[in-house]
Amino acid sequence: MQSHRARRLPGRHWMVRCGVVLLIAEQGPGGAAPALLMMRRAERAGDPWSGQVSFPGGRVQVEDADTRAAALRELSEETGLQPDASFVPIGRLSDLLTREHGRQRPMVVTPYVYQVPRALAVAPGAEAARLWWEPLTTLVDTDRQRTQIWRVAGLPLPFPAIEVSGARLWGLSLMMVKELVRATGLKPR
């Protein structure tokens, strides 16, 4: 990822900001191939991404110095992990622009990629219904590609998705994974 150039959105400092962590374990559960920490969000009224597959992260709060600080704070809150010296930052992905449903103001999501030597034990916090380590090979397996239907103003719109451990990864989270795959040179199998 050293040569990867993440796109930074102009004017992002005037928008609602959010940071997320894509955490890669060099050794997945039981010493398996590298894996990525995935999260299914808890079902909550008012949460536009309720029940969706995502990565730990959230909005910048007053106490956060920046989006990276927000991402690491949320990682701790949502997974029980306490980032330490074993959490090696390996890069940043491009800013993504979204809009929280029901709000007019756009939000910029900034993903940060970290690596740890092995899959760590995780414990879902209040915002996470489930956490798991997904093998990176799953994310490039063309046999797992699906279509997710999202209704916008009553119209069914198809979006690309990937089947991961009984769930569908799509939308912004899938965009992050696709950029991670390109940046790291993972090859489809």
Side-chain angles (χ1 to χ4, degrees), residues 21 23 37 56 68-89 114-116 120-121:
V21 173
L23 184 60
L37 181 62
R68 182 182 299 271
L72 293 172
R73 175 184 50 76
E74 290 279 347
L75 173 71
S76 180
E77 291 173 7
E78 294 172 349
T79 69
L81 296 174
Q82 299 301 320
D84 59 21
S86 69
F87 283 67
V88 178
Y114 281 79
Q115 188 172 31
V116 290
L120 304 167

Side-chain angles (χ1 to χ4, degrees), residues 14-188:
W14 292 293
M15 296 181 221
V16 175
R17 301 290 306 276
C18 175
V20 300
V21 173
L22 281 74
L23 184 60
I24 299 171
E26 292 176 41
Q27 288 189 332
L36 181 63
L37 181 62
M38 307 291 290
M39 176 175 116
R40 180 187 287 270
R41 297 182 60 81
E43 299 279 341
R44 295 181 359 181
D47 179 355
W49 298 284
S50 188
Q52 300 290 320
V53 174
S54 67
F55 300 105
R59 270 183 256 154
V60 174
Q61 302 295 326
V62 174
E63 68 270 16
D64 298 322
D66 53 23
T67 52
R68 182 182 299 271
L72 293 172
R73 175 184 50 76
E74 290 279 347
L75 173 71
S76 180
E77 291 173 7
E78 294 172 349
T79 69
L81 296 174
Q82 299 301 320
D84 59 21
S86 69
F87 283 67
V88 178
I90 61 170
R92 176 193 183 284
L93 300 176
S94 296
D95 289 334
L96 296 168
L97 188 63
T98 188
R99 185 177 61 83
E100 291 182 88
H101 306 283
R103 295 188 181 173
Q104 296 303 313
R105 196 168 171 204
M107 181 167 68
V108 176
V109 180
T110 304
Y112 297 94
V113 183
Y114 281 79
Q115 188 172 31
V116 290
R118 60 180 169 64
L120 304 167
V122 289
E127 294 179 30
R130 180 175 161 230
L131 299 164
W132 73 95
W133 291 96
E134 187 69 35
L136 289 176
T137 54
T138 300
L139 304 174
V140 292
D141 185 347
T142 56
D143 291 339
R144 293 178 175 269
Q145 294 178 359
R146 304 285 185 271
T147 299
Q148 176 74 30
I149 302 298
W150 183 254
R151 293 199 172 274
V152 176
L155 297 172
L157 298 176
F159 287 91
I162 298 174
E163 198 72 35
V164 290
S165 298
R168 292 241 167 121
L169 173 70
W170 72 288
L172 288 180
S173 297
L174 180 57
M175 292 169 70
M176 291 175 207
V177 165
K178 286 183 175 185
E179 185 176 359
L180 177 67
V181 166
R182 284 190 310 272
T184 57
L186 285 172
K187 302 289 183 215

